[in-house]
Amino acid sequence: MKLILIFSLLASMNSVDYRLNYIEEHKDLAVIEMHRKGIPASIKLAQAILESDSGTSQFSLESHNHFGIKCKKYWRGEKVMHIDDDTDANGDLTESCFRAYEDVFHSYVDHSNFVAHSDNYRPLFDLDPQDYKAWARGLQEQGYATDPKYAEKLIAIIEKHQLYEYDRL
């Protein structure tokens, strides 16, 4: 029983460590993109942490896509196929086309452009840029992700790691 508890504690510590490392490595880019396109750095970091498991998911390692952005019809860049939540006519999960990037930097830049230039997300830019809760709820309401708890998850990540502090830089 003690051994299980020790492994559980180590796994928990490691998950926090790799998140903290991810934040440290990408916070400046998130702040730069916040100033360039107006998406709060806290939101950008929380989305990247959630969508890419802090850059450790097999999908993000292969594609450098840290935001789970699908190809869309107009996408002309690199692509990777990945099973997500799309289904075929029989209701079976099927592969979806996702954007692939040469590095994480381009993923962050494209995410900013994607959100800022999409009519779907335009209402978000009327929100207070320091109101991360409204931004998280807005992303969910506008259909960024299919997870009904998407906003809650973003808010929890932001609050756990005090990512809202980067919105003030």
Side-chain angles (χ1 to χ4, degrees), residues 97-115:
C97 182
F98 285 86
R99 299 177 185 195
Y101 307 97
E102 63 184 84
D103 54 36
V104 178
F105 170 82
H106 287 93
S107 178
Y108 269 67
V109 170
D110 187 53
H111 172 265
S112 297
N113 293 338
F114 174 75
V115 173

Side-chain angles (χ1 to χ4, degrees), residues 10-64:
L10 287 174
S12 176
M13 287 171 38
N14 287 338
S15 71
V16 171
D17 286 346
Y18 78 86
R19 273 192 182 177
L20 293 177
N21 290 339
Y22 185 89
I23 292 164
E24 185 61 31
E25 186 174 339
H26 297 92
K27 67 182 181 189
D28 293 336
L29 182 53
V31 170
I32 288 167
E33 285 300 294
M34 173 179 68
H35 290 289
R36 189 176 74 86
K37 288 294 184 178
I39 301 161
S42 62
I43 288 292
K44 185 171 284 293
L45 285 167
Q47 283 191 280
I49 287 167
L50 183 59
E51 297 284 348
S52 74
D53 195 17
S54 302
T56 66
S57 73
Q58 189 64 37
F59 170 71
S60 66
L61 291 170
E62 291 171 1
S63 67
H64 302 290

